[in-house]
Amino acid sequence: MTRIPERRQRAVMATDAEWEMIARRAQAGGMELSRFIVHRTLMPDALPREVMRRAVREMLVMAWIEERRLQDSGAGDAWENAGAAVDDWLESEGALAHLTDPGAANRWKAKGAGEASE
């Protein structure tokens, strides 16, 4: 039988503005405030710069290829429409750092599913 570690109440000092921002981000991620704070605090450190550069480079190369492929096939509007949908979603998320929370992928899927059915 696996024993769940006991959780204890702790105190955190923050300004009202900081606390409101934390609360909004936790709510947007579908997490309890305390779980959100623990999750964000215990997240691994950022990837090394060279790993991030390579990942961004490869993503941009693939995006460039796909955009050209769609334009060549006469479906260039699909690229623009997809870009607009992603821009709208990123704007609703508020900050790119927010995309690392566990709910981000589910929110993106939910938004896409909602638009597909419209």
Side-chain angles (χ1 to χ4, degrees), residues 2 5 20 33 40 42-43 50-51 64 71 89 105 111 116:
T2 303
E20 288 172 17
L33 192 58
R40 291 298 298 259
L42 297 179
M43 284 176 57
E50 55 275 2
V51 172
W64 185 84
Q71 287 175 352
W89 183 74
K111 180 169 177 41

Side-chain angles (χ1 to χ4, degrees), residues 60-70 79:
L60 292 172
V61 166
M62 295 305 295
W64 185 84
I65 290 169
E66 183 63 8
E67 182 178 8
R68 296 306 177 278
R69 187 186 70 75
L70 286 170
W79 182 262

Side-chain angles (χ1 to χ4, degrees), residues 5-110:
E6 182 179 343
R7 292 172 61 184
R8 294 191 176 120
Q9 186 172 5
R10 311 292 184 195
V12 176
M13 297 194 56
T15 66
D16 289 344
E18 291 168 335
W19 195 252
E20 288 172 17
M21 183 181 290
I22 292 167
R24 280 194 307 272
R25 289 181 179 180
Q27 183 179 20
M31 299 176 79
E32 293 177 356
L33 192 58
S34 61
R35 288 287 86 204
F36 177 78
I37 292 169
V38 170
H39 168 76
R40 291 298 298 259
T41 303
L42 297 179
M43 284 176 57
D45 292 335
L47 293 171
R49 181 178 169 85
E50 55 275 2
V51 172
M52 287 299 295
R53 183 186 185 286
R54 173 123 183 141
V56 169
R57 178 187 177 276
E58 290 179 7
M59 179 198 59
L60 292 172
V61 166
M62 295 305 295
W64 185 84
I65 290 169
E66 183 63 8
E67 182 178 8
R68 296 306 177 278
R69 187 186 70 75
L70 286 170
Q71 287 175 352
D72 290 349
S73 71
D77 287 347
W79 182 262
E80 295 303 320
N81 294 341
V86 170
D87 287 342
D88 290 346
W89 183 74
L90 287 172
E91 182 66 28
S92 74
E93 288 298 297
L96 290 179
H98 188 67
L99 297 178
T100 61
D101 79 58
N106 291 333
R107 289 190 304 277
W108 171 249
K109 288 176 189 173

